[in-house]
Amino acid sequence: MERTLAIIKPDAVQRQLVGVIISEIEMNQFAIRAIRTLRLTRDQAALFYQQHCEKPFYESLVGYISSGQLYALVLERESAVEEWRKLMGPTNPVKTGPLTLRRRFALDIQRNSVHGADTATTAEREIDFFFGEGV
Ligand code: IDP
Ligand code: MG
């Protein structure tokens, strides 16, 4: 069993897609081990995405992810990191291929509805960020 950190991003929360996304999570054999809703401050958002601080879209990304309520979730299953990324689909919502969450719900490359950690190590760091140690 492996854990990953998922986020239902503000664009999806605002469009009331939390329920359908959680249904997809449960239908794909993930166990929800923790869940919380919160709004990040700008400083917290800047810290969460600090790996992207050199990118041209960084300021805009920080503004967007701190623009409203989000849901952070700890998901557990076999190969959770890879399986959640597969269910989310590529960063840029494409028009063809499997019907991923991002293909179904993303508005554009930035407002792409869901986040997933990229490795098991990153997942544990992101779980600490949202839930503190002990989760
Ligand atoms: P990921 O979320 O698929 O892991 P990353 O490259 O880690 O993608 O980027 C983090 C987030 O930054 C993306 O989910 C998206 O919201 C935003 N983002 C990535 N690339 C761009 C871009 O080219 N323009 C605007 N926003 C972007
Ligand atoms: Mg990433």
Side-chain angles (χ1 to χ4, degrees):
M1 284 295 165
E2 183 179 70
R3 304 196 302 176
T4 193
L5 187 282
I7 298 174
I8 304 174
K9 293 183 176 183
D11 68 279
V13 177
Q14 267 151 26
R15 286 178 292 143
Q16 300 188 215
L17 296 169
V18 175
V20 67
I21 291 170
I22 288 177
S23 290
E24 287 292 332
I25 287 168
E26 292 189 314
M27 286 194 297
N28 284 275
Q29 289 79 52
F30 293 93
I32 298 170
R33 294 297 182 212
I35 182 168
R36 67 179 291 213
T37 183
L38 73 159
R39 181 173 175 169
L40 294 178
T41 65
R42 250 196 108 82
D43 284 354
Q44 288 172 325
L47 190 61
F48 182 73
Y49 275 128
Q50 69 178 347
Q51 65 172 124
H52 295 299
C53 67
E54 304 294 321
K55 308 266 171 67
F57 58 82
Y58 179 66
E59 281 304 317
S60 171
L61 176 61
V62 167
Y64 153 67
I65 206 71
S66 60
S67 68
Q69 208 74 13
L70 58 74
Y71 283 70
L73 302 96
V74 177
L75 305 183
E76 187 177 87
R77 61 160 282 172
E78 268 175 47
S79 305
V81 171
E82 184 189 343
E83 291 297 329
W84 173 241
R85 290 201 67 96
K86 215 188 283 176
L87 187 59
M88 287 198 304
T91 310
N92 195 6
V94 288
K95 300 274 180 279
T96 58
L99 203 53
T100 63
L101 292 174
R102 282 169 165 173
R103 189 178 158 207
R104 286 171 70 188
F105 301 128
L107 297 172
D108 51 46
I109 191 172
Q110 177 173 271
R111 296 174 299 166
N112 58 5
S113 303
V114 282
H115 165 87
D118 54 1
T119 66
T121 307
T122 311
E124 291 303 318
R125 190 168 68 236
E126 292 182 353
I127 290 168
D128 279 355
F129 179 90
F130 280 104
F131 296 94
E133 284 169 45
V135 173

